[in-house]
């Protein structure tokens, strides 16, 4: 297991080898002297966002930092696995197995069958999505992972009725969406889908409350239900205190949670999220992911989220892995703990990408 005292002593040793005082190291990292002193005496661990800069400054690898010692080539592999599990535990918290597996009879919300999308440019043709099929049951939180360019956004946009597939069928809540004319599709999006996109803008001239209320008004929710529903959901999402603020007055994480509230209040069949944590710091990202899990558990929302962040993906019930437009594998969390699922996702990515996946890159892409 990860040993905080040992790591602290190692940081201290490497710092001294560099000839730096605690204050000098603190200054390079933009933290207080006290923080460095606490790490070195094993009283606390550096924040996730500092791991990389710390490793660079001390000229050590991430694995060495967590092992609390320099690692030779031979025992690198063994150490790496051992260290990985404890790193994962420290990121995700110690969490027990999840007890309730998805009910086997949950109805299918999204049904994607043999969907392909070909982009034809002057120079060449790209098969951005290649014969992809899958189903998503009601109440589940599903992630789509894959390297940049693997077709994730294209697939999500097709499901969102923003883009049309070249071939294949898709139904949402039993309704076929691929042949819908644009005006019908716009109504369908408002009535049946919720969006939490990285750059999904709230309206700047409306307060957060008004942004959420607008979504409900468009859906003809009776006025007397609006206030009560917004308050209830805002409470659950922890944004009650900022409802009167304008989007530019709150943080990115708070805006994203407002977007979640706006998606939830209209009770859509399916919520779509494209890299929702991409622009957030690690704390805000964790909060947003906790919010998604809560939305599925307490509000029976069904969420499909595109991400390339393994930490984000480990909150899902199931992961779909894409490569070169194809669905290469799926992984179910089942009753596994978040940590075990995280490790499984990393292994699967290594297998799919055919190369060793650096833990750090997945956290700090
Ligand atoms: P991801 O979201 O996984 O990064 P995308 O779905 O954005 O992947 O892109 C998949 C492939 O399709 C890439 O090769 C990309 O260059 C191509 N592509 C995406 N959109 C278009 C477009 N509008 N026109 C032409 N090619 C596109
Ligand atoms: Mg994308």
């Amino acid at each position: 297991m990860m040993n905080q005292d040992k790591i602290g002593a190692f940081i201290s040793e490497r710092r001294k080898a560099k000839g730096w005082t605690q204050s000098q190291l603190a200054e390079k990292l933009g933290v207080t002297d006290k923080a460095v002193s606490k790490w070195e005496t094993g009283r606390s661990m550096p924040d996730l966002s500092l791991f990389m800069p710390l490793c660079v400054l001390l000229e050590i690898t991430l694995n060495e930092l967590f092992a609390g010692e320099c690692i030779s080539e031979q025992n690198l592999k063994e150490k790496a696995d051992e260290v990985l599990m404890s790193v994962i535990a420290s990121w995700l918290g110690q969490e027990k197995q999840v007890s309730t597996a998805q009910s086997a009879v949950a109805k299918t919300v999204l049904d994607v069958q043999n969907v392909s999308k070909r982009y034809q440019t002057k120079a060449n043709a790209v098969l951005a999505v290649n014969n992809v099929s899958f189903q998503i049951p009601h109440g589940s939180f599903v992630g789509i992972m894959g390297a940049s360019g693997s077709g994730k956004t294209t697939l999500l946009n097709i499901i969102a009725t923003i883009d049309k597939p070249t071939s294949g069928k898709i139904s949402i809540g039993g309704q076929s969406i691929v042949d819908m004319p644009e005006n019908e599709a716009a109504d369908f999006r408002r009535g049946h889908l919720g969006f939490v996109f990285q750059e999904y803008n709230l309206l700047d001239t409306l307060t957060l409350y008004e942004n959420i209320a607008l979504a409900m008004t468009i859906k003809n929710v009776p006025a007397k239900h609006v206030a009560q529903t917004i308050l209830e959901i805002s409470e659950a999402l922890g944004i009650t205190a900022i409802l009167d603020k304008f989007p530019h007055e709150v943080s990115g994480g708070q805006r994203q949670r407002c977007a979640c509230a706006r998606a939830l209040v209209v009770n859509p069949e399916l919520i779509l999220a494209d890299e929702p944590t991409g622009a957030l710091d690690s704390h805000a990202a964790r909060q947003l992911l906790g919010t998604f899990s809560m939305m599925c558990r307490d509000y029976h929302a069904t969420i499909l989220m595109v991400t390339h962040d393994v930490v984000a993906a480990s909150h899902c019930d199931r992961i779909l892995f894409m490569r070169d437009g194809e669905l290469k594998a799926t992984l179910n969390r089942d009753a596994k703990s978040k940590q075990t699922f995280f490790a499984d996702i990393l292994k699967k990515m290594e297998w799919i990408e055919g190369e060793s996946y650096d833990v750090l890159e997945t956290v700090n892409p």
Side-chain angles (χ1 to χ4, degrees):
M1 282 312 283
M2 190 158 60
N3 182 332
Q4 205 159 301
D5 290 322
K6 196 173 171 194
I7 292 171
F10 185 52
I11 293 174
S12 172
E13 177 201 314
R14 296 295 304 187
R15 171 182 61 75
K16 287 175 189 156
K18 288 269 168 196
W20 297 329
T21 62
Q22 288 188 341
S23 317
Q24 284 171 321
L25 179 61
E27 197 188 322
K28 289 176 201 295
L29 288 167
V31 299
T32 61
D33 298 6
K34 204 168 155 193
V36 174
S37 156
K38 276 187 165 179
W39 306 339
E40 293 194 355
T41 50
R43 280 174 294 159
S44 73
M45 282 287 289
D47 187 76
L48 181 60
S49 62
L50 293 172
F51 292 166
M52 186 55 171
L54 197 54
C55 287
V56 171
L57 282 170
L58 299 178
E59 293 189 76
I60 53 177
T61 65
L62 181 70
N63 283 335
E64 287 175 326
L65 177 63
F66 283 104
E69 63 192 2
C70 292
I71 301 171
S72 68
E73 281 300 334
Q74 297 112 297
N75 65 8
L76 180 67
K77 182 73 190 111
E78 291 161 45
K79 274 275 184 220
D81 286 348
E82 186 188 311
V83 164
L84 180 63
M85 281 312 286
S86 53
V87 171
I88 293 166
S90 79
W91 283 340
L92 304 176
Q94 295 287 351
E95 193 209 48
K96 297 284 165 284
Q97 312 287 107
V98 282
S99 51
T100 51
Q102 198 75 60
S103 153
V105 291
K107 86 174 204 288
T108 296
V109 168
L110 173 66
D111 187 5
V112 175
Q113 275 184 44
N114 307 104
V115 165
S116 294
K117 174 73 181 185
R118 182 184 301 275
Y119 284 116
Q120 187 71 53
T121 59
K122 264 180 241 127
N124 57 350
V126 178
L127 201 51
V129 175
N130 187 359
N131 198 25
V132 167
S133 301
F134 64 93
Q135 279 99 37
I136 296 186
H138 179 72
S140 56
F141 183 10
V142 176
I144 299 182
M145 296 194 80
S148 177
S150 59
K152 305 180 297 293
T153 295
T154 303
L155 180 61
L156 203 74
N157 285 344
I158 291 171
I159 294 167
T161 73
I162 293 164
D163 203 349
K164 293 259 178 257
T166 311
S167 61
K169 292 183 192 160
I170 299 174
S171 64
I172 297 174
Q175 195 170 344
S176 170
I177 60 158
V178 296
D179 297 321
M180 252 178 212
E182 178 44 39
N183 58 340
E184 247 180 73
D187 280 344
F188 184 83
R189 282 196 288 277
R190 274 199 291 275
H192 299 264
L193 301 177
F195 295 93
V196 185
F197 283 4
Q198 192 186 121
E199 299 299 337
Y200 200 78
N201 295 320
L202 300 167
L203 297 174
D204 288 332
T205 52
L206 300 182
T207 64
L208 300 190
Y209 183 94
E210 289 163 345
N211 264 286
I212 302 169
L214 179 68
M216 299 177 81
T217 313
I218 290 170
K219 227 194 149 185
N220 297 322
V221 175
K224 61 179 179 186
H225 292 317
V226 171
Q228 200 196 330
T229 307
I230 293 180
L231 284 180
E232 184 196 317
I233 286 179
S234 299
E235 200 66 50
L237 296 178
I239 55 170
T240 314
I242 53 166
L243 282 175
D244 289 333
K245 295 200 183 289
F246 290 92
H248 70 268
E249 296 178 311
V250 303
S251 72
Q254 288 170 327
R255 277 198 293 276
Q256 287 293 59
R257 276 184 284 146
C258 178
C260 288
R262 189 184 48 184
L264 262 184
V265 287
V266 295
N267 193 22
E269 226 119 15
L270 179 64
I271 293 174
L272 300 170
D274 194 354
E275 305 274 4
T277 58
L280 303 180
D281 63 47
S282 61
H283 175 71
R286 247 197 311 272
Q287 275 195 329
L288 181 66
L289 293 161
T291 300
F292 279 147
S293 301
M294 183 279 290
M295 284 158 69
C296 290
R297 191 185 60 232
D298 299 344
Y299 290 89
H300 306 288
T302 308
I303 302 177
L304 179 61
M305 171 178 78
V306 162
T307 185
H308 60 252
D309 177 352
V310 187
V311 175
S314 63
H315 285 74
C316 296
D317 306 322
R318 182 161 37 132
I319 309 291
L320 311 175
F321 294 90
M322 290 187 76
R323 180 177 179 162
D324 299 335
E326 286 180 64
L327 192 59
K328 286 288 187 191
T330 66
L331 202 57
N332 289 316
R333 179 164 164 193
D334 298 322
K336 288 190 276 278
S337 71
K338 220 185 283 172
Q339 298 96 298
T340 311
F341 193 38
F342 182 105
D344 285 356
I345 295 169
L346 274 184
K347 282 193 204 116
K348 194 63 110 183
M349 288 175 81
E350 248 175 56
W351 177 74
I352 288 172
E353 303 298 335
E355 61 193 46
S356 187
Y357 210 86
D358 187 345
V359 179
L360 209 55
E361 256 181 62
T362 70
V363 179
N364 264 333

